[in-house]
Amino acid sequence: MAESLAPALDQGAGMPPTRLAAYRAVLSSRIRAQRSYRANFYTDLAGSFLIGFIELAEVWILFHNVHALGGLTFRNILLVFGIADLAFSVAQMVFGHVDRMPTFLRAGTLDVFYLRPQPVLLQVITSEIGLRRLARALVGLGSLAVGLSLNQIHWSWANAVLLLVTILSATAVHSAMLVWAGGVQFFLVNGAEMTNAFVYGGRYAATQVASVWSAPLKVLFGFVFPMAVTAYVPALHLLGLPGPAWLPTWLAWWTPVFALWMWGLALFTWRQGIRHYQGGGG
Amino acid sequence: MPVRLLPYWRLFLAGVHEQSTYRLAMLGGLVANATFGFLKVAMLFATVRAAGGTLRGYDIGSMSAYIWLSQGLLGSVNLNGVSDFAERIKTGDVAVDFSRPVSPQGAAVARDVGKAVAALGPRGVPSVAIGVLVVGMTMPTTAWPYLLGVPSLAVGITLSAALVYALATAGFWLIETRGVQVLYMVVSGFFAGLFVPIALFPGWLAAMASATPFPSMMMSPIDILTGRVTVARSSALLGIQVVWLAATVTAGLVLTRAGRRTLEVQGG
């Protein structure tokens, strides 16, 4: 890897390297590294696409058996699924590497990150970028596009802005979930499944019709981990449908606030974790 | 017990101990099982209700039984395709396995089955308990489903370990098998009936699922245990499971032999 880093760092020869040069060098080397096992890279891409596709199929099968669920038809749910899955895949592509925190912690790899003069979180994120997840984002994007064209949506400026703000906020929420989960790993060490319940459970929840949820689920995935308010509720608003109990559609405009809440929680947890860490030995 | 089988029995017990050591991981797994379980309850109950109370042989009670049994089996049936053996091929440690006086396949499968059995207590039982106590679920009151269901469960668990082993042997040729593992994870969960029971699939998709070994890992044991299928159908399902197990073990054996010839370990 040292060799592959050299050319990127040399580009600034003669001048002091900019602050971003190191990140750029690492990222481009990670991208090249992923493509070096070619057969694996292509099966990775195919697998990633298939994940999104099958998750959509699982939703479709339910609607194949009944016409409407919780007040939504399959056309309607395509919109919810599209927003949620697109946001989740983009978040996974950029922040997905935080998922490997348990390995970093157990193997003591994290100690190296502490020694470098850059924030640990930024180093963990840039130590890999999951290109294969682009394939999955395509499924989300496709579902969103079909959902937007098949449904009767009144295209005002307000609705267009709402859609854009929703996608950005939802991506921020799913990214923050990964950072939060990474922060919790400092305390759990070997309990990744505990946070998976909310990170991946959250993705599953975000693509659902939240009106069928029990009250505890509405609290957990409606507000604490704001999944329903960043996909289902804005979709209802775009479709001009009324919201169920606890999830009124005016909340659709509050998605940035929920994203801020989730990032606040994520950064707080991450900082606590960083302070708690005692080193992996060795 | 014949002396030849003794090492595998010991490896099985080692698997049981290994799995029992990680208590916090078990708790984490249980939290995940329960969270996903409640989300499945919400969607699948709503589907059954929207269909008028019964859907393809499921009512609320039997749908609940499907949900909590499938969640309880998640710690024991390997639906992610991740295995230690794949990692050992990648690192070259497999060379050590080949020099041992036991079959690498037998050793890997015995250990994984041990881990799976150990997970039934702390992950399987609480999941079913949530189903019974919090949500409510219907289980059969006759003996047949349990008499056929327990061996079916044992075959399902062993089949999943044997399949994941066979998958790992791809590493002899590919080295990095993460892509193959991800493909396996996606397809196996879907066709094993993890998120949606196969009975709800449209006909052509259900036919596709039954052409794979995946329903034999999870859907068949659940269908038998919950008494959703008749005794005759249960026996047939168990028979199909045994055939898949035999085929998978044979495939694993052949692939190991072929892989051993191509294996190149670098460094030293």
Side-chain angles (χ1 to χ4, degrees):
Chain A
M1 180 131 110
E3 285 166 45
S4 61
L5 280 178
L9 285 175
D10 277 352
Q11 280 168 11
M15 291 175 278
T18 63
R19 283 181 58 201
L20 291 177
Y23 295 113
R24 207 164 42 226
V26 171
L27 275 181
S28 66
S29 88
R30 295 313 303 166
I31 287 170
R32 264 174 288 143
Q34 283 178 55
R35 298 178 56 190
S36 57
Y37 291 107
R38 279 193 178 265
N40 185 63
F41 180 70
Y42 290 120
T43 42
D44 250 5
L45 270 183
S48 186
F49 180 82
L50 210 58
I51 291 180
F53 187 74
I54 283 187
E55 274 160 358
L56 183 58
E58 281 162 353
V59 176
W60 171 74
I61 290 171
L62 296 186
F63 284 89
H64 170 78
N65 284 283
V66 291
H67 174 65
L69 258 182
L72 295 191
T73 62
F74 184 61
R75 283 179 184 200
N76 300 154
I77 200 77
L78 277 177
L79 203 56
V80 181
F81 185 93
I83 295 171
D85 230 47
L86 176 62
F88 179 82
S89 339
V90 173
Q92 278 275 321
M93 188 163 70
V94 183
F95 289 85
H97 203 49
V98 186
D99 233 18
R100 297 200 47 204
M101 280 300 289
T103 318
F104 292 157
L105 286 164
R106 270 199 308 260
T109 327
L110 197 73
D111 296 15
V112 181
F113 292 148
Y114 270 85
L115 296 174
R116 297 182 188 141
Q118 290 154 345
V120 177
L121 181 58
L122 268 181
Q123 291 185 56
V124 176
I125 293 165
T126 51
S127 63
E128 185 173 321
I129 178 150
L131 276 187
R132 63 180 187 282
R133 278 155 177 150
L134 270 178
R136 182 171 176 179
L138 280 180
V139 179
L141 194 64
S143 167
L144 181 62
V146 174
L148 287 174
S149 60
L150 285 185
N151 287 295
Q152 298 273 325
I153 296 169
H154 172 63
W155 280 117
S156 58
W157 273 106
N159 272 348
V161 171
L162 180 74
L163 179 65
L164 193 68
V165 170
T166 299
I167 291 172
L168 292 177
S169 308
T171 310
V173 165
H174 286 288
S175 309
M177 290 292 291
L178 284 160
V179 173
W180 166 80
V184 176
Q185 298 315 320
F186 284 100
F187 300 95
L188 293 179
V189 184
N190 198 13
E193 274 198 280
M194 185 95 74
T195 49
N196 282 354
F198 307 106
V199 176
Y200 297 96
R203 186 221 64 86
Y204 182 49
T207 59
Q208 292 189 345
V209 189
S211 60
V212 305
W213 288 352
S214 56
L217 279 180
K218 277 185 183 161
V219 172
L220 185 64
F221 286 122
F223 299 100
V224 178
F225 300 117
M227 297 298 148
V229 285
T230 50
Y232 170 71
V233 171
L236 284 185
H237 193 285
L238 288 176
L239 294 166
L241 295 170
W246 295 37
L247 295 168
T249 49
W250 54 260
L251 277 175
W253 284 105
W254 287 75
T255 48
V257 177
F258 286 107
L260 281 178
W261 145 250
M262 199 54 228
W263 264 105
L265 181 65
L267 288 178
F268 174 77
T269 313
W270 181 267
R271 284 226 178 96
Q272 294 297 315
I274 288 282
R275 284 197 196 131
H276 174 78
Y277 186 60
Q278 309 248 312
Chain B
M1 181 177 295
V3 178
R4 271 188 60 222
L5 289 182
L6 199 61
Y8 302 105
W9 172 247
R10 294 248 164 85
L11 283 161
F12 168 82
L13 291 180
V16 172
H17 285 296
E18 184 184 343
Q19 188 69 12
S20 318
T21 314
Y22 295 107
R23 301 255 160 77
L24 190 65
M26 285 278 188
L27 179 67
L30 184 61
V31 171
N33 285 1
T35 311
F36 273 95
F38 281 112
L39 287 167
K40 276 162 85 174
V41 163
M43 281 303 267
L44 291 170
F45 279 20
T47 311
V48 173
R49 289 201 180 106
T54 53
L55 175 62
R56 313 250 186 140
Y58 284 101
D59 56 17
I60 294 291
S62 57
M63 189 55 96
S64 180
Y66 151 77
I67 291 168
W68 295 106
L69 281 179
S70 62
Q71 290 306 100
L73 285 180
L74 269 181
S76 305
V77 174
N78 185 334
L79 291 175
N80 55 34
V82 177
S83 67
D84 289 340
F85 194 68
E87 195 58 31
R88 294 185 69 82
I89 297 178
K90 194 176 162 188
T91 56
D93 288 345
V94 69
V96 180
D97 296 339
F98 277 131
S99 61
R100 288 189 178 129
V102 290
S103 127
Q105 182 186 26
V109 173
R111 207 171 129 242
D112 281 354
V113 172
K115 283 160 88 172
V117 170
L120 280 179
R123 285 184 67 170
V125 173
S127 285
V128 174
I130 293 173
V132 174
L133 300 174
V134 184
V135 185
M137 62 187 234
T138 332
M139 285 297 281
T141 46
T142 52
W144 272 113
Y146 301 101
L147 285 176
L148 288 171
V150 172
S152 165
L153 191 57
V155 177
I157 287 173
T158 316
L159 173 61
S160 95
L163 260 177
V164 168
Y165 173 86
L167 180 78
T169 58
F172 285 124
W173 294 274
L174 297 175
I175 302 166
E176 173 62 272
T177 52
R178 228 222 22 214
V180 184
Q181 175 252 316
V182 169
L183 277 180
Y184 181 89
M185 179 178 77
V186 181
V187 176
S188 69
F190 184 52
F191 283 153
L194 175 57
F195 282 102
V196 183
I198 291 168
L200 263 55
F201 284 20
W204 58 272
L205 200 58
M208 264 173 80
S210 4
T212 70
F214 305 120
S216 290
M217 283 163 42
M218 186 183 240
M219 199 70 233
S220 303
I222 292 175
D223 276 345
I224 297 172
L225 275 171
T226 55
R228 210 184 69 80
V229 290
T230 61
V231 175
R233 178 81 187 128
S234 296
S235 316
L237 284 177
L238 187 56
I240 295 171
Q241 282 185 287
V242 172
V243 171
W244 274 117
L245 179 60
T248 309
V249 169
T250 312
L253 209 62
V254 172
L255 286 165
T256 309
R257 287 219 180 116
R260 189 173 186 161
R261 281 196 292 273
T262 59
L263 178 69
E264 244 181 71
V265 177
Q266 293 165 20

